Amino acid sequence: MFAAVIEPIKIAQVLGLRSRVTSVEQLEQQVEAGLPKASLGAVARHVYGSSPEAGALMQRVIPAATFHRRSEALKPQEGERVERLARVIATAEHVWDSADDARAFLTTGHAMLGGKRPIDVALTELGARRVENLLWSLFHGVAA
């Protein structure tokens, strides 16, 4: 297992945050205070662009009715789900050193994940850990 941390600024970029986030503590404070609703869309577009799959991913993270009830900010628990995906995306981009290659990895089934797509596995905390461990194994040249 590899335990590495992606720079919080990279996660904030995937989240589409305008404020400067330079530490995990600041990122945690943003999530606790309520990420902007727009962060969910930014994360989904980061993976799927403007395709209908972006909307489908958004609904899997936060159901549409719940999302529309929010004023401008997500509740902390919802923000944690969005941040988790942003962290996995930022890790994939770091490992692949390419947004396009990271996108291809995230949206293609992988044998080490039972044939499931990493973006789907990462919807849960334990699944995100599996995907991150796989990514760090690839980064360090360990057979994956």
Side-chain angles (χ1 to χ4, degrees):
M1 294 242 188
F2 298 97
V5 178
I6 291 297
E7 295 176 39
I9 194 167
K10 300 293 185 187
I11 299 167
Q13 288 170 349
V14 174
L15 289 167
L17 297 178
R18 292 192 174 120
S19 61
R20 182 132 169 94
V21 175
T22 59
S23 70
V24 173
E25 182 181 14
Q26 288 175 337
L27 184 58
E28 182 180 26
Q29 289 170 350
Q30 289 266 332
V31 171
E32 288 175 358
L35 289 175
K37 282 177 62 175
S39 290
L40 176 57
V43 167
R45 283 189 304 278
H46 218 81
V47 178
Y48 291 113
S50 60
S51 80
E53 288 180 303
L57 177 62
M58 288 176 65
Q59 288 189 37
R60 290 182 67 200
V61 177
I62 302 173
T66 302
F67 183 78
H68 291 298
R69 279 195 304 269
R70 299 293 168 255
S71 55
E72 293 183 23
L74 301 175
K75 291 192 175 206
Q77 186 177 23
E78 296 161 344
E80 287 175 0
R81 286 184 245 152
V82 175
E83 183 279 332
R84 176 176 52 232
L85 286 179
R87 187 178 67 237
V88 168
I89 294 164
T91 302
E93 290 181 353
H94 175 79
V95 168
W96 292 107
D97 199 26
S98 160
D100 290 336
D101 291 344
R103 205 171 293 120
F105 168 80
L106 291 166
T107 59
T108 303
H110 196 283
M112 297 299 292
L113 299 172
K116 294 179 182 176
R117 300 181 317 167
I119 195 69
D120 296 331
V121 173
L123 290 170
T124 67
E125 180 60 34
L126 290 174
R129 289 181 193 181
R130 289 178 58 207
V131 174
E132 288 172 313
N133 284 333
L134 173 58
L135 284 163
W136 289 119
S137 293
L138 293 168
F139 183 76
H140 291 289
V142 178

